[in-house]
Amino acid sequence: MPDQDPIDKLSRFGAGFSSGTGGDMPLSAADVRRRGDQIRRRRTALVAGASALAVAAVAVPIFAVVGGNPKAGENDKVADDPQGALSTNDLLRDDDTEYFPNEKSAFRTVDTYEGDGQATFHPCQQATLASLGATTSFTRTFEYVVQLEAGDTAPPDAAGDGLVETVAEFEDDDDARAAYDTFAGWILDCESRLGDFERVNVVPQARAVALPAGAGDAKIYDLNWGPVEKSVDPYGDASYINETGLVLRGDRIAVVGLTIVGQDYNFLEEDGGTPVNRMVPVAADRLRPGGDTPAQPSETLTEPASTVDPAIADDFPLSAGWPADDGSDVTAEGPNRTLPPLLLNVCDADVEDAPAPQDRLVATWSQPEDYRTRQLSTYASEDQAAAALGAVVSAYRDCPEEPSSPEGYVAHHVAIQSAAGDESWVVGTYSTFDGADAIGIEVIHLIRIGTALLVITGSNEGSAPEPESTFLAAGDQMANEASNVVSELCAFTEPGC
Amino acid sequence: MEAKEFDEFYSASFRRVTGQVYAMIGDFDEATECVQEAFARAWAHRRKLDNAEYPEAWVRTTAYRIAVSRWRRRKRGERSPDRAVSSSGITAAVDESHVALVAALKQLPEAQRQALVLHHIADLPVQQVAAEVGVPEGTIKARLSRGRAALATLLADETGLAGGGMTHA
């Protein structure tokens, strides 16, 4: 069938566009250059005044800073740095800051202070950190270093943008975890605090950040609101765009918030992602106990390149262990690369399939009331595989309860660490109706070995009167059923099989 | 890069890159907008572009990333503040003969589609495709092989093709 020769068709397609028959250019080259000049000017529009973030706090109309912790001393004088205690050494330094990739020292310190200060440091903050149990905290605000080029004029001052970091220490790990979760909740609830703006958008799904083993947990939330003041953008197109990184390390947390004024905020994954994406690993490193000792240079956080070949063999036994298709009511598909990837949806948001896998196989098996899927993804590094796992776990952990369905059913999610592979979690979903257990559970077992992430899903008409034990048992059963698959994942480790 | 040089680069490359991005994402208007935005960013970062070995590859990659980013934002239901280059006057001047091919490409996994487009439409050697995608050459060869086989099957059964948006998951 020469007409169906894909190479010929692809080549003719390319030639068609090369010959200029592929559509007009909607903008002239001069228009595109003008647009480029706007982008470049906006790059310099990250001007922050001496108290930019404090101004941001004032700009948010309904702040209520409440509470106080008698254990926490609060003053404006920065304390000395006793050995091992939280100190200003645990904050990001100017050299650590970036906006564009590799643009070191993009921000410079405006102020550093101890305690909760006179204003909230984040627009979504609902109470002082002391009221959450912080025994010590430090905050540093930064301003963007404007680099004007010949012919540029300084952009208008945009109050409310800039970079701020707060680090805090708690009595114990549990208190720190609770504060970390509470701050995440404040961000997700931020729409109510920014209600006077015409448009407010909080992305409900946090982005996972890959940290070196033992460096703690981290995630990033995105939100934007606008319009900004007319003196900055008379056309009303620009918004405040904020990304906030949360880091939990033992009994300490860090909050890294970056707010810009603009219309878009796109950074390439291959360049390290967004500015906060690039700064959070450094913040996590600074946060480690023993802040008096010099922090590791950020180069040590660079993800080592994996030498593991990410290609999955076409005959990889992904469906091994599933009951044979006896020709009755079983439907089995795959493993192959054409089945759609798993699309997980939690609290009305799709779980981001990131980082992008290098290769992926999917297989499904189903009988009435029994649906099973296995998805094997490989990544460029172990850290990326861990981040992909973390993204799923965080999504479910951040949404313990779904909104009630119109019929009155409420889905509940539970995430429990399990013991398989290098790292594994069982995520379970069960439902209640009017407070009583309803029929139907879903279980996801995520198992990472090396650069590979195996996701096994199953659902049936059972119930989960004791969710943790029920889901752990179901997860164990799924892992046992897939034992021949798991044992093959050694191919994606540095030592190999 | 000076204005005149940029204008020539834009005129010479715009349609070609738009075609490639269109083949990758399956939406001609979206491809046009993303490529325009990528060229605008290229001008904003023209010093970086001066150092790029393949400026057209820089624009193509940037346009594709913008498309993926915009798609993800739409998927999240987010109101995009990125309206700077949207134009109501864009017309999908697409050759009818391309529709079936693009529809078939949309059925392929993203990695295979990207490899096919870069190798057979952008006419890049396997080595350069591997460098642009960031995976080993062997992986690209495998994706090309699987992609060609799947595409041939899909083209042989064009009546079964469905429409729809991008197929990123």
Side-chain angles (χ1 to χ4, degrees):
Chain A
M1 288 187 295
D3 284 350
Q4 305 306 340
D5 177 0
I7 298 176
D8 182 51
K9 278 185 175 279
L10 290 165
S11 299
R12 273 191 278 142
F13 181 94
F17 279 95
S18 294
S19 64
T21 59
D24 294 330
M25 292 179 284
L27 292 183
S28 69
D31 287 338
V32 169
R33 278 191 281 108
R34 267 191 288 278
R35 163 74 182 139
D37 288 335
Q38 280 177 2
I39 292 171
R40 194 160 57 87
R41 277 196 294 275
R42 203 169 62 215
R43 206 168 73 200
T44 63
L46 285 155
V47 178
S51 57
L53 268 293
V55 174
V58 173
V60 179
I62 48 170
F63 271 108
V65 183
V66 297
N69 183 353
K71 291 183 290 187
E74 188 175 319
N75 61 58
D76 290 328
K77 187 179 176 186
V78 174
D80 294 335
D81 301 332
Q83 179 73 34
L86 190 77
S87 74
T88 54
N89 281 344
D90 296 296
L91 289 162
L92 288 170
R93 300 155 197 187
D94 291 1
D95 291 352
D96 297 330
T97 64
E98 277 187 48
Y99 187 72
F100 293 103
N102 301 316
E103 184 195 22
K104 290 293 180 188
S105 304
F107 296 85
R108 65 176 158 241
T109 299
V110 172
D111 193 14
T112 303
Y113 57 89
E114 184 175 3
D116 284 303
Q118 300 301 307
T120 51
F121 65 88
H122 192 282
C124 303
Q125 192 181 353
Q126 296 185 16
T128 61
L129 291 180
S131 72
L132 298 184
T135 53
T136 320
S137 67
F138 295 91
T139 296
R140 178 166 288 161
T141 59
F142 301 84
E143 65 179 356
Y144 187 70
V145 180
V146 181
Q147 294 172 340
L148 295 176
E149 296 175 11
D152 284 342
T153 53
D157 229 21
D161 60 4
L163 173 69
V164 63
E165 186 197 17
T166 287
V167 294
E169 191 166 56
F170 296 80
E171 288 280 5
D172 52 39
D173 293 7
D174 288 344
D175 281 359
R177 163 70 71 180
Y180 174 82
D181 291 340
T182 297
F183 214 103
W186 286 346
I187 295 172
L188 294 174
D189 191 36
C190 202
E191 190 160 352
S192 63
R193 305 196 69 77
L194 299 168
D196 280 3
F197 285 91
E198 284 176 24
R199 50 178 191 266
V200 178
N201 178 45
V202 180
V203 178
Q205 201 61 61
R207 289 184 274 132
V209 181
L211 294 180
D217 295 338
K219 54 189 173 183
I220 298 173
Y221 286 93
D222 297 288
L223 58 154
N224 59 70
W225 63 95
V228 301
E229 290 174 24
K230 284 194 170 174
S231 58
V232 176
D233 174 31
Y235 306 106
D237 286 334
S239 295
Y240 292 102
I241 301 174
N242 170 283
E243 58 168 339
T244 300
L246 301 180
V247 181
L248 171 67
R249 186 164 191 166
D251 60 0
R252 298 176 171 187
I253 67 167
V255 181
V256 181
L258 173 60
T259 306
I260 70 151
V261 170
Q263 294 177 42
D264 58 11
Y265 196 67
N266 292 312
F267 292 88
L268 304 181
E269 278 180 30
E270 58 264 40
D271 290 340
T274 62
V276 172
N277 249 137
R278 282 174 267 122
M279 289 190 280
V280 155
V282 185
D285 189 45
R286 295 277 185 220
L287 197 59
R288 80 193 190 291
D292 284 30
T293 52
Q296 297 292 318
S298 57
E299 286 72 20
T300 61
L301 296 168
T302 303
E303 195 176 312
S306 173
T307 57
V308 177
D309 184 354
I312 306 171
D314 288 343
D315 59 353
F316 188 91
L318 188 60
S319 55
W322 273 338
D325 182 354
D326 60 4
S328 56
D329 52 3
V330 170
T331 302
E333 290 187 85
N336 60 42
R337 291 176 175 79
T338 53
L339 282 169
L342 281 171
L343 186 60
L344 304 173
N345 187 283
V346 187
C347 278
D348 291 330
D350 292 338
V351 180
E352 193 173 4
D353 187 13
Q358 301 286 300
D359 200 0
R360 173 170 282 166
L361 276 186
V362 180
T364 62
W365 185 99
S366 64
Q367 271 186 318
E369 301 175 357
D370 185 356
Y371 302 92
R372 311 181 196 185
T373 304
R374 289 179 189 165
Q375 175 173 285
L376 175 60
S377 308
T378 58
Y379 296 86
S381 68
E382 289 195 16
D383 285 348
Q384 287 204 7
L389 185 156
V392 177
V393 174
S394 293
Y396 282 87
R397 209 165 44 187
D398 290 348
C399 173
E401 189 175 299
E402 299 270 358
S404 176
S405 73
E407 297 79 22
Y409 289 92
V410 176
H412 308 263
H413 304 300
V414 179
I416 318 144
Q417 204 153 14
S418 63
D422 294 337
E423 181 184 7
S424 58
W425 285 78
V426 172
V427 175
T429 301
Y430 66 100
S431 298
T432 54
F433 182 80
D434 201 17
D437 287 335
I439 290 175
I441 62 170
E442 293 177 4
V443 184
I444 306 171
H445 201 162
L446 303 110
I447 302 170
R448 180 186 69 79
I449 294 180
T451 59
L453 177 62
L454 175 66
V455 183
I456 311 172
T457 75
S459 60
N460 59 49
E461 298 298 291
S463 61
E466 294 177 13
E468 290 212 359
S469 57
T470 300
F471 292 134
L472 271 180
D476 279 349
Q477 186 182 342
M478 294 159 96
N480 288 336
E481 193 178 64
S483 58
N484 288 338
V485 180
V486 175
S487 65
E488 293 290 324
L489 297 182
C490 54
F492 303 104
T493 62
E494 292 288 347
C497 295
Chain B
M1 186 177 279
E2 298 301 318
K4 183 170 182 293
E5 194 181 352
F6 177 84
D7 291 357
E8 289 169 359
F9 170 49
Y10 177 70
S11 299
S13 302
F14 178 84
R15 290 188 180 88
R16 184 164 53 238
V17 178
T18 300
Q20 293 157 7
V21 175
Y22 167 43
M24 285 201 265
I25 70 172
D27 183 325
F28 185 79
D29 286 351
E30 184 72 1
T32 303
E33 286 196 7
C34 292
V35 172
Q36 271 183 176
E37 177 68 8
F39 269 105
R41 292 181 190 191
W43 176 248
H45 299 275
R46 53 190 177 277
R47 288 180 186 164
K48 181 189 275 190
L49 207 65
D50 284 338
N51 298 325
E53 193 174 2
Y54 303 105
E56 194 168 296
W58 190 96
V59 171
R60 177 173 53 241
T61 302
T62 302
Y64 183 58
R65 289 292 171 191
I66 292 169
V68 171
S69 174
R70 286 163 56 131
W71 177 84
R72 283 184 179 145
R73 279 205 301 240
R74 280 199 301 275
K75 284 286 286 179
R76 288 176 182 147
E78 182 177 346
R79 280 173 292 186
S80 166
D82 187 1
R83 294 174 294 176
V85 297
S86 59
S87 163
S88 57
I90 297 177
T91 305
V94 182
D95 188 321
E96 286 296 318
S97 67
H98 295 156
V99 173
L101 177 64
V102 171
L105 283 168
K106 284 166 66 178
Q107 309 299 307
L108 299 180
E110 182 181 353
Q112 290 177 20
R113 181 170 62 240
Q114 191 179 27
L116 287 173
V117 169
L118 293 177
H119 186 57
H120 292 296
I121 295 180
D123 211 21
L124 301 182
V126 169
Q127 183 187 18
Q128 203 172 322
V129 176
E132 190 163 329
V133 176
V135 300
E137 284 183 44
T139 304
I140 294 298
K141 287 176 184 171
R143 288 176 184 174
L144 286 170
S145 172
R146 287 194 287 264
R148 282 193 293 258
L151 190 60
T153 303
L154 288 165
L155 289 171
D157 185 25
E158 286 175 6
T159 54
L161 295 174
M166 289 173 71
T167 56
H168 303 285

